[in-house]
Amino acid sequence: MPIKLKDTMKAKKLFGDWQETLIWSCLQKVMGDIYVDNASDPQSAMAVLGDFCFFAGNAEEDIVSYKPENCFQDFIIMVPQSEEWAELIVKNYGDRAKPVTRYAIKKEQNIFDKDTLRSAVNSLKPGYILRMIDADLFALCRSSTWCQDLVSQFRDYEMYKKLGIGFAVLKGKSLVAGASSYARYREGIEIEIDTKEEFRRNGLAYACGAKLILECLDRGLYPSWDAQNPASAALAEKLGYHFDYEYRAFEIWGY
């Protein structure tokens, strides 16, 4: 059975230079966990944070098939480091493993044009209000399925207040969009952006995403972005990021 690693730095070499902040969160013990085949000299590892699981090192079936006790969700996204890991994912989960393409965005310092970002914030149409996520908005995000991931990795508002950061777009008293930290690592955050379906294509994600990036820059944090689809990658580029590469992942239903 895989072992939850206490000294997470022992697994760092297995992940190599993988530019994925969720892995960094786990290695830095800020959020998430690392599981390995051997605690003293790990050769296989998986990093688990929220709805994501990353496999590194030697491909091992015991690692792929293992579901940590603190994972209660029915869905997870598995990202293999190698073709061997990918084959084991398909072998173990069969039709439940849906292959998808995701889009890595470059992590570059000093690329953002603050004037452009401020203009994006000011582009918010009349009738909408942009607010920092406070205790009330945190609770509202938690209670709404479409936007839970804006705060889902923080056990309570106190944890979010300490490690998280985010902004919500309101229309009246209704939450209609938001940009927030899906996860936190020492040097920055992983961005999560959601817009309620009937309010999409109104520039809300663009405005609140820009506001979140500006706030991160003011705090000396890097706002990391990983795109689920081409639309997300296009929004990232509009905000100043640059596309890096496509990669394969597997969405597991019935985890």
Side-chain angles (χ1 to χ4, degrees):
M1 179 182 293
I3 302 162
K4 182 177 175 179
L5 193 60
K6 293 182 179 179
D7 183 1
T8 54
M9 286 297 103
K10 286 186 176 180
K12 185 177 180 180
K13 64 179 181 180
L14 299 179
F15 292 97
D17 59 355
W18 203 341
Q19 296 291 295
E20 176 51 67
T21 67
L22 300 185
I23 294 173
W24 300 346
S25 296
C26 295
L27 289 172
Q28 294 172 358
K29 302 181 76 170
V30 177
M31 304 175 76
D33 296 300
I34 302 285
Y35 294 86
V36 296
D37 59 334
N38 185 307
S40 59
D41 184 25
Q43 300 299 312
S44 305
M46 69 174 180
V48 184
L49 200 171
D51 290 332
F52 291 85
C53 180
F54 302 85
F55 297 103
N58 297 334
E60 291 290 343
E61 190 163 358
D62 285 348
I63 298 282
V64 165
S65 61
Y66 180 67
K67 182 176 181 178
E69 293 181 358
N70 60 352
C71 284
F72 302 107
Q73 72 266 32
D74 191 50
F75 169 79
I76 199 163
I77 298 169
M78 294 184 169
V79 186
Q81 187 187 57
S82 65
E83 183 60 31
E84 289 77 17
W85 280 113
E87 290 173 358
L88 281 182
I89 291 171
V90 173
K91 177 184 176 183
N92 275 269
Y93 296 96
D95 293 340
R96 289 181 290 159
K98 175 188 174 183
V100 296
T101 299
R102 295 182 65 91
Y103 304 84
I105 305 300
K106 289 182 180 179
K107 294 173 176 57
E108 304 170 286
Q109 299 293 333
N110 305 315
I111 60 165
F112 299 105
D113 185 323
K114 290 188 177 182
D115 288 337
T116 299
L117 292 173
R118 293 187 189 101
S119 294
V121 174
N122 293 331
S123 72
L124 195 65
K125 296 178 181 178
Y128 295 101
I129 299 173
L130 191 58
R131 277 180 48 193
M132 182 173 280
I133 295 177
D134 56 13
D136 291 338
L137 288 175
F138 179 90
L140 191 57
C141 291
R142 275 282 182 89
S143 66
S144 305
T145 302
W146 70 268
C147 59
Q148 284 178 346
D149 278 343
L150 293 173
V151 299
S152 61
Q153 301 314 309
F154 301 86
R155 63 178 175 270
D156 52 34
Y157 177 68
E158 288 306 311
M159 182 182 180
Y160 183 82
K161 185 177 179 181
K162 179 180 178 182
L163 297 175
I165 176 177
F167 292 87
V169 178
L170 300 171
K171 188 173 179 61
K173 294 183 179 180
S174 298
L175 176 63
V176 296
S180 182
S181 44
Y182 180 80
R184 172 68 187 270
Y185 64 107
R186 289 174 190 164
E187 298 83 10
I189 68 167
E190 184 67 33
I191 289 180
E192 172 76 20
I193 295 186
D194 294 301
T195 303
K196 200 170 185 180
E197 187 171 1
E198 58 265 40
F199 291 92
R200 292 172 184 169
R201 300 186 181 279
N202 285 298
L204 306 183
Y206 180 52
C208 61
K211 183 65 174 177
L212 178 57
I213 293 169
L214 284 168
E215 185 68 20
C216 285
L217 297 178
D218 286 346
R219 297 189 186 195
L221 298 173
Y222 186 80
S224 176
W225 190 298
D226 186 82
Q228 179 184 11
N229 51 49
S232 177
L235 176 59
E237 292 185 314
K238 188 176 180 181
L239 288 165
Y241 294 91
H242 297 107
F243 171 75
D244 197 357
Y245 60 90
E246 296 181 2
Y247 68 94
R248 180 172 55 165
F250 295 88
E251 294 182 349
I252 310 297
W253 297 90
Y255 180 50

